[in-house]
Amino acid sequence: MINDPFARLNLDREVLSVSQLNNRARLLLEDVFASIWVEGEISNLARPASGHIYFTLKDSQAQVRCALFRQNAARVRQALRDGLAVKVRGKVSLFEGRGDYQLILDAVEPAGDGALRLAFEALKEKLSAEGLFATERKLALPAHPKRIGIVTSPTGAVIRDIISVFRRRAPQVQLNLIPTAVQGREATAQIVRALQLADAQGFDALILARGGGSLEDLWCFNEEAVARAVAACVTPIVSAVGHE
């Protein structure tokens, strides 16, 4: 890796090939703009079968191409569409084969300070007006539960932590895992289904859990469908989201 891509470049004498020019331009861009936030509007959104997402980010005077590769695309909770205002984080790079300047992204968020929090507060106000959070609706937790259902991911640290605590403090309690995704596009529907399955199994109580994360990572637990699924359960539920 060349720390200074121009360290051996004599602008008066050296003649570069196109490949050399693009390579040095890419190294310079990635070094100077290693991680930046940019705000704009999505256009020309494309979702090929590879799972990657490509779009153009634009404002009233300019545009830049963006690439969101599959692993990072799976973590984006916002439904992306043309015309959506977003903030994106990534590095500036250059596709050497075509000489195209672009942003390689690792995060996409709704534009506007606290956009997710505003959406959360709006939904909370709506559901509160319906009485979903009223004190009289809350179910008392059993003093000595015998069977507890745990709605969480089967592969995360959460289930191991919960099992460890129960083994130390209440080894007589039977724990039953009801697996679900806890992040990503499919998580909301899976959480709702897991709650319905768990509620039908006659547990003394349920624990809905996942580890910590950003507001975006945890957003599936703020969805209206999940709130209504919790409210519909006849089994007492403990929320352990961001469990530590």
Side-chain angles (χ1 to χ4, degrees):
M1 175 64 71
I2 303 172
N3 291 329
D4 181 355
F6 294 116
R8 293 184 291 127
L9 175 60
N10 185 326
L11 294 176
D12 293 329
R13 298 181 181 178
E14 185 173 357
V15 178
L16 300 175
S17 69
V18 174
S19 298
Q20 289 173 321
L21 172 63
N22 284 356
N23 176 255
R24 295 190 186 189
R26 179 182 64 80
L27 293 174
L28 181 63
L29 287 170
E30 291 181 354
D31 180 57
V32 175
F33 300 102
S35 182
I36 61 170
W37 285 93
V38 184
E39 184 171 332
E41 180 181 302
I42 292 176
S43 66
N44 301 316
L45 182 72
R47 298 178 182 272
S50 62
H52 308 318
I53 298 175
Y54 302 97
F55 58 85
T56 298
L57 192 68
K58 66 178 184 178
D59 59 21
S60 60
Q61 297 179 316
Q63 63 182 31
V64 61
R65 293 186 180 184
C66 298
L68 183 65
F69 296 127
R70 181 174 58 238
Q71 182 176 0
N72 291 321
R75 297 201 296 266
V76 175
R77 290 292 307 149
Q78 182 77 9
L80 303 183
R81 54 177 171 75
D82 285 348
L84 183 68
V86 293
K87 292 187 297 184
V88 301
R89 184 185 67 200
K91 67 179 179 181
V92 178
S93 188
L94 184 138
F95 182 65
E96 294 183 32
R98 292 197 304 264
D100 287 345
Y101 157 83
Q102 61 185 347
L103 281 170
I104 307 298
L105 307 180
D106 55 57
V108 179
E109 296 181 358
D113 186 27
L116 286 178
R117 295 187 186 278
L118 289 173
F120 170 77
E121 292 299 331
L123 178 59
K124 183 179 177 182
E125 183 176 346
K126 172 187 173 181
L127 298 181
S128 293
E130 294 182 22
L132 260 69
F133 306 135
T135 302
E136 57 269 22
R137 289 182 59 104
K138 297 184 183 298
L139 302 176
L141 293 174
H144 302 287
K146 296 179 179 179
R147 296 176 63 246
I148 294 178
I150 304 170
V151 178
T152 191
S153 167
T155 59
V158 176
I159 187 63
R160 296 195 298 272
D161 291 346
I162 291 174
I163 291 172
S164 175
V165 170
F166 271 93
R167 282 177 177 170
R168 293 198 313 269
R169 302 188 62 178
Q172 75 281 4
V173 175
Q174 177 185 327
L175 302 178
N176 299 265
L177 172 66
I178 299 88
T180 179
V182 293
Q183 185 174 329
R185 296 183 182 280
E186 304 301 322
T188 298
Q190 288 193 29
I191 292 168
V192 169
R193 180 59 178 157
L195 285 169
Q196 292 169 343
L197 289 173
D199 192 41
Q201 294 184 39
F203 293 116
D204 297 315
L206 301 177
I207 299 174
L208 176 60
R210 73 148 280 165
S214 67
L215 181 61
E216 185 179 29
D217 291 339
L218 301 175
W219 191 254
C220 55
F221 293 93
N222 289 335
E223 296 283 4
E224 182 174 354
V226 172
R228 294 194 182 279
V230 169
C233 285
V234 298
T235 311
I237 298 177
V238 172
S239 171
V241 177
H243 72 293
E244 290 189 3

